[in-house]
């Protein structure tokens, strides 16, 4: 009988200790949430510049990268946009060995991706818009949008990211110029 009571006491003590430990961990995590929630890509980009402004994400741009863990063989730039204000058009002049583009919602979920092999002539010319805006554009498609890639995104706010491959050091200035000359503009059609 004494062994059973001693075993129950140890079990009760272990359960109580586990609950107290879980409570402490829970409180610590809750206190850390604001610290981590302000470090998402949207927040970092909003601290770097306004909507519709391209921001280099790689350290090659001269300073610390806006978003960490960028592949060293790729340079990248991004802009935030708000489709409630209208459609956004992203363009980049010139040719580079490879580029890819992605549209993310405000929470960082990938909505759409494409690359130079799916774009007309390998040129980056894209329009991001809501399904309702797409209906309006289809009624009377402006001639200058004939070769653009249309990205229907059922989101209000998002981030457009362009990544370009840098095969060797000789390509660094060309890829940098490609990204630095890219544009992200609010469009009214």
């Amino acid at each position: 009988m004494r062994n059973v009571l001693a075993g129950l006491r140890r079990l009760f003590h272990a359960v109580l200790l586990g609950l107290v430990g879980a409570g402490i961990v829970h409180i610590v995590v809750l206190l850390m949430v604001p610290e981590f929630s302000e470090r998402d890509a949207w927040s970092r980009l909003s601290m770097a510049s306004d909507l519709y402004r391209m921001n280099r994400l790689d350290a090659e741009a001269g300073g610390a990268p806006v978003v960490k863990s960028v592949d060293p063989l790729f340079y990248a730039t991004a802009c935030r946009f708000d489709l409630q204000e209208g459609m956004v058009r992203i363009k980049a002049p010139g040719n580079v060995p490879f580029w890819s583009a992605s549209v993310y919602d405000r929470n960082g979920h990938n909505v759409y991706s494409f690359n130079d092999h799916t774009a007309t002539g390998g040129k980056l010319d894209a329009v991001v818009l809501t399904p309702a805006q797409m209906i309006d554009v289809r009624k009377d498609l402006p001639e200058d949008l004939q070769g653009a890639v249309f990205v229907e995104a059922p989101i209000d706010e998002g981030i457009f990211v362009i990544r370009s491959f840098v095969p060797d050091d000789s390509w660094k200035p060309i890829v940098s110029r490609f990204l630095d000359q890219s544009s992200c503009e609010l469009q009214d059609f």
Side-chain angles (χ1 to χ4, degrees), residues 96-101 114-124 178:
V96 290
F98 173 80
W99 60 259
S100 67
F114 63 101
N115 61 39
D116 58 349
H117 298 290
T118 56
T120 304
K123 300 288 185 188
L124 177 54
F178 173 78

Side-chain angles (χ1 to χ4, degrees), residues 25-44:
V25 169
H26 182 74
I27 290 170
V28 169
V29 168
L30 287 177
L31 292 174
M32 290 174 53
V33 165
E35 179 71 21
F36 287 107
S37 67
E38 293 176 7
R39 292 185 183 175
D40 66 350
W42 181 270
S43 299
R44 286 177 179 241

Side-chain angles (χ1 to χ4, degrees), residues 120-139:
T120 304
K123 300 288 185 188
L124 177 54
D125 185 3
V127 178
V128 182
L129 63 173
T130 65
Q133 292 165 337
M134 186 63 186
I135 292 170
D136 290 338
V137 169
R138 283 185 183 163
K139 291 177 185 174

Side-chain angles (χ1 to χ4, degrees), residues 89-105:
R89 187 172 190 182
I90 296 88
K91 293 176 81 171
N95 291 312
V96 290
F98 173 80
W99 60 259
S100 67
S102 297
V103 177
Y104 296 91
D105 67 11

Side-chain angles (χ1 to χ4, degrees), residues 101-179:
S102 297
V103 177
Y104 296 91
D105 67 11
R106 185 181 173 133
N107 297 321
H109 299 112
N110 192 323
V111 175
Y112 192 84
S113 295
F114 63 101
N115 61 39
D116 58 349
H117 298 290
T118 56
T120 304
K123 300 288 185 188
L124 177 54
D125 185 3
V127 178
V128 182
L129 63 173
T130 65
Q133 292 165 337
M134 186 63 186
I135 292 170
D136 290 338
V137 169
R138 283 185 183 163
K139 291 177 185 174
D140 186 25
L141 183 65
E143 191 170 318
D144 68 325
L145 292 180
Q146 296 293 329
V149 173
F150 286 89
V151 179
E152 280 187 55
I155 59 176
D156 293 330
E157 297 173 318
I159 301 170
F160 193 95
V161 178
I162 305 168
R163 288 173 292 283
S164 185
F165 180 58
V166 183
D168 61 50
D169 287 348
S170 68
W171 281 96
K172 285 183 176 182
I174 297 165
V175 171
S176 284
R177 189 169 38 257
F178 173 78
L179 295 175

